[in-house]
Amino acid sequence: MNVLVISGYKPFELGIFKKDDASAAFIKAAIRKSLLPKVEEGLEWVLISGQLGVELWAAEVVFELQTEFPEIKLAVITPFLNQEATWNENNKEWYESVLMQADFVDSVTKKGYEKPWQFRLKNQFFLEKSDSLLLLYDQEKEGSPKYLYELAIEYQKKHDYQIELITFYDLQMIVEEEQSKHMDY
């Protein structure tokens, strides 16, 4: 496995409205827990589209892992140019800081937003350019990751492609693990 796509919910879909919300730490811990063995086995690239939430938190996890594993690279390939145009200043700064540290930055379509087909094209591009998908998605809670997940399931029927989900149950387990580390015995 050389290229892994990481995606998931946008922050508002999770009820998170600040990038450093306490819940984000648990999401990052879940991503790290899944990502670390892959990096140790030789994962070369993590691919994100730069959307707010899970993808930018995943980028932060990659940057942390790069201190120990400098061979892991981050690519940010957006569905269209200037996707951050309508975001607030804090989110733009977060996004720009990720782009500055990324090893590769590009866009699938070389124009601004036009129509939803640009997201579908990005999802198809990601599946074709990667070996596996790590998705923070729970089928009990619909949201934006549903489209990538459904496309990946179809893609998997014809290709050797791995899909790993981080569900809300997995996040609950991370919360309990982290809380047990900090309990006084």
Side-chain angles (χ1 to χ4, degrees):
M1 180 175 60
N2 292 322
V3 181
L4 171 71
V5 171
I6 301 180
S7 191
Y9 294 102
K10 295 178 176 84
F12 65 87
E13 293 176 302
L14 298 168
I16 299 174
F17 300 99
K18 293 188 306 222
K19 82 176 186 96
D20 52 1
D21 188 281
S23 303
F26 298 118
I27 292 168
K28 288 170 68 173
I31 292 168
R32 182 182 176 86
K33 183 177 181 178
S34 178
L35 196 52
L36 189 57
K38 293 169 179 52
V39 172
E40 290 171 341
E41 292 165 14
L43 177 67
E44 295 173 20
W45 284 92
V46 169
L47 178 58
I48 64 170
S49 69
Q51 76 181 23
L52 294 170
V54 170
E55 292 191 15
L56 293 187
W57 289 315
E60 292 175 348
V61 172
V62 170
F63 299 147
E64 291 165 13
L65 288 172
Q66 282 177 332
T67 60
E68 193 178 338
F69 303 94
E71 61 279 4
I72 184 75
K73 305 280 186 252
L74 177 74
V76 181
I77 302 179
T78 64
F80 47 84
L81 298 175
N82 302 316
Q83 75 172 343
E84 77 286 4
T86 60
W87 300 355
N88 70 40
E89 282 308 308
N90 289 338
N91 289 336
K92 283 182 183 178
E93 286 176 24
W94 183 22
Y95 176 72
E96 292 296 330
S97 75
V98 167
L99 292 185
M100 287 190 309
Q101 295 174 76
D103 299 285
F104 182 82
V105 178
D106 202 356
S107 290
V108 177
T109 61
K110 309 292 187 216
K111 48 185 146 193
Y113 177 75
E114 291 178 354
K115 297 237 187 285
W117 65 265
Q118 290 167 298
F119 293 107
R120 287 191 296 275
L121 188 65
K122 180 264 303 177
N123 288 344
Q124 188 65 42
F125 176 87
F126 274 24
L127 295 175
E128 291 171 2
K129 298 295 181 192
S130 65
D131 309 297
S132 59
L133 170 66
L134 175 60
L135 192 63
L136 175 58
Y137 178 61
D138 197 308
Q139 291 163 306
E140 301 294 311
K141 180 179 181 353
E142 292 221 338
S144 58
K146 171 187 166 188
Y147 302 104
L148 179 55
Y149 177 69
E150 289 176 351
L151 193 61
I153 292 294
E154 285 305 306
Y155 187 80
Q156 190 181 47
K157 291 176 182 174
K158 297 179 182 125
H159 302 86
D160 181 19
Y161 196 81
Q162 297 174 356
I163 301 169
E164 179 182 344
L165 296 180
I166 298 173
T167 65
F168 292 128
Y169 176 80
D170 299 322
L171 286 178
Q172 184 60 40
M173 293 296 97
I174 293 285
V175 169
E176 291 174 17
E177 284 172 25
E178 293 296 314
Q179 286 175 339
S180 71
K181 286 181 193 173
H182 302 293
M183 289 186 139
D184 295 321
Y185 287 104

